[in-house]
Amino acid sequence: MKLSFTTYRIFLKHTFGISRSSNNWYDIVLIFLQDGEIIARGEAAPSLRYNESTEKILSILNRGIILPDDSSITIDDMLVCVYNQLDNIKSLQAAFSMAIWDWWSQKNNKPLFDLLGYKRKVLPHTSFTIAIGNINDIEKKIEEAKPYDILKVKLGTPNKDKEIIKEIRKYTDKMIRVDANEGWDYVTALDMCKWLSDQNVEFIEQPFPAEELEKSKKLTKLSPLDIYADENSMLSRDIEQIKSSFDGINIKLMKCGSIEEAIVMIKEAKKNGLKIMLGCMVETSIGITAASHLASEVDKIDLDGNLLIKNDPYSGVRIVNGRLVIPNLNGLGIKLKFKHDNLL
Ligand SMILES: [Mg+2]
């Protein structure tokens, strides 16, 4: 089996503003495993919030990754052997998890969800993100969001949060999910939860900085809207600590570092009565399609990262009437859309 990798710059259709940052592009790292006719793919979308970068990822990859060449190896042994070489960089681990599962399920002539024992079913609607930006662009963004039934609105601005929602409400009464990305203090959060509860809002994501867990606990008790953890919900082992501070969690492959860990998180969350959303970073169709294979097992879907970029080189999961449709192909079901240096 041959490993290759490349960086790729993804450009946003609109500046992607959240409470703590604003970006027009991100660099991601794509990895490829070639085994005879099989091309398996994975994506690392590193986040500065979690101290990750393409530079760190490239330094690990350039060091060389040893892939086991024993043909009788189990997939579990293969995954562990590779993860041990990745310095605990979760997005890179996620890339290898995707690629190894893509390879394994293509080898077994099955789509990944089928191999994992999940049934093909009609999936919930995905939300579509309206990031923080120029308030005058909102009308156009709402027009672009027409195919999607739920909006995910980024808030956590110094003073403009209500103004943003009021502007959106001039054009649509669609359901809104609010993501404050750790941007609120306690007084603002309580006021916003009450005010937003009359605005057809489904829930609020991560109101406070992750280290302020006690505030989330207090707010979750008082808020008329559900409160979801994102920056507080990285791994399955976090669930015990945060379960009484939130109503639900946002699971992302790039945070938890593997398809297997996401599955453990889904099980743990269900056991503890937490609602589950499957989310993403800004990613190409590789990362989004990989996550979509778990979508039948969760309550809410927020897999729109590939829809926000101009130059997604791959096709995979599609959106039909606002819902994800997983490709009818073996493996992840990814295809390269256009030829580009180093992309397979
Ligand atoms: Mg979030």
Side-chain angles (χ1 to χ4, degrees):
M1 193 185 304
K2 185 181 160 228
L3 166 68
S4 57
F5 56 89
T6 185
T7 53
Y8 184 75
R9 183 161 290 183
I10 47 179
F11 292 94
L12 276 302
K13 290 176 184 165
H14 295 283
T15 302
F16 193 75
I18 66 169
S19 65
R20 60 176 166 258
S21 60
S22 182
N23 289 74
N24 289 311
W25 52 265
Y26 293 95
D27 283 335
I28 54 160
V29 179
L30 301 173
I31 66 162
F32 310 102
L33 298 176
Q34 284 173 274
D35 178 20
E37 297 284 287
I38 294 175
I39 299 173
R41 302 173 176 96
E43 171 172 4
S47 167
L48 279 179
R49 169 65 179 76
Y50 303 114
N51 258 322
E52 297 189 356
S53 65
T54 45
E55 291 73 24
K56 278 190 192 173
I57 288 175
L58 290 175
S59 75
I60 295 166
L61 292 173
N62 283 321
R63 204 160 71 189
I65 302 293
I66 298 161
L67 298 170
D69 58 3
D70 171 6
S71 61
S72 64
I73 195 168
T74 65
I75 183 160
D76 292 341
D77 289 343
M78 169 103 172
L79 291 164
V80 171
C81 167
V82 173
Y83 295 162
N84 282 337
Q85 303 172 62
L86 306 179
D87 294 7
N88 205 26
I89 303 279
K90 293 297 177 190
S91 59
L92 181 57
Q93 205 180 295
F96 275 95
S97 177
M98 290 173 206
I100 292 170
W101 281 105
D102 191 15
W103 164 73
W104 187 254
S105 44
Q106 287 187 59
K107 226 171 133 71
N108 285 280
N109 293 314
K110 284 185 172 180
L112 176 60
F113 72 89
D114 191 7
L115 192 87
L116 295 172
Y118 303 144
K119 296 268 175 292
R120 180 181 285 284
K121 56 184 184 193
V122 177
L123 299 170
H125 287 261
T126 182
S127 35
F128 181 82
T129 302
I130 308 286
I132 296 170
N134 189 329
I135 202 133
N136 299 321
D137 293 340
I138 284 181
E139 183 177 7
K140 193 170 153 227
K141 289 180 182 174
I142 298 299
E143 182 61 31
E144 288 166 11
K146 239 186 184 151
Y148 314 100
D149 291 298
I150 308 169
L151 302 176
K152 170 117 171 242
V153 178
K154 295 287 193 180
L155 296 182
T157 63
N159 295 306
K160 292 215 157 56
D161 287 354
K162 288 186 183 173
E163 199 187 321
I164 291 168
I165 298 292
K166 284 180 191 163
E167 182 67 17
I168 292 171
R169 284 292 176 242
K170 284 186 195 166
Y171 310 108
T172 179
D173 55 7
K174 278 180 190 174
M175 171 92 81
I176 288 176
R177 297 170 176 168
V178 164
D179 188 356
N181 283 108
E182 310 181 288
W184 286 343
D185 58 40
Y186 187 76
V187 173
T188 307
L190 191 57
D191 174 55
M192 286 302 291
C193 287
K194 288 179 181 161
W195 186 78
L196 289 167
S197 67
D198 286 334
Q199 299 284 338
N200 195 24
V201 168
E202 192 181 16
F203 58 78
I204 314 276
E205 198 178 310
Q206 196 72 37
F208 307 118
E211 61 275 14
E212 297 176 8
L213 196 54
E214 277 306 305
K215 288 186 187 167
S216 288
K217 192 172 195 168
K218 248 165 85 182
L219 184 70
T220 296
K221 280 203 186 106
L222 295 174
S223 169
L225 295 170
D226 279 353
I227 310 292
Y228 278 56
D230 182 1
E231 286 83 346
N232 265 116
S233 149
M234 306 278 296
L235 302 167
S236 56
R237 64 163 185 255
D238 297 328
I239 291 177
E240 184 59 34
Q241 204 199 346
I242 66 168
K243 65 184 185 189
S244 54
S245 299
F246 294 95
D247 301 292
I249 62 167
N250 185 349
I251 299 175
K252 296 177 183 169
L253 293 179
M254 296 299 165
K255 286 188 300 173
C256 74
S258 73
I259 288 167
E260 316 85 82
E261 177 67 5
I263 293 170
V264 176
M265 288 184 86
I266 291 169
K267 286 184 185 151
E268 280 298 303
K270 283 184 181 166
K271 220 193 306 172
N272 286 289
L274 289 165
K275 291 164 195 158
I276 308 163
M277 177 159 73
L278 197 54
C280 60
M281 305 296 183
V282 180
E283 302 169 22
T284 73
S285 282
I286 295 181
I288 301 299
T289 305
S292 74
H293 284 266
L294 304 178
S296 63
E297 306 308 296
V298 304
D299 308 299
K300 320 268 178 198
I301 295 178
D302 181 33
L303 291 177
D304 67 339
N306 57 338
L307 306 171
L308 306 175
I309 60 176
K310 288 194 270 201
N311 59 335
D312 184 356
Y314 295 96
S315 62
V317 66
R318 292 176 305 132
I319 307 282
V320 179
N321 298 326
R323 298 173 193 271
L324 302 182
V325 177
I326 301 172
N328 220 346
L329 296 167
N330 296 331
L332 296 179
I334 308 283
K335 284 190 168 161
L336 183 62
K337 280 197 298 195
F338 51 79
K339 279 211 180 336
H340 188 281
D341 306 340
N342 306 326
L343 296 187
L344 293 176

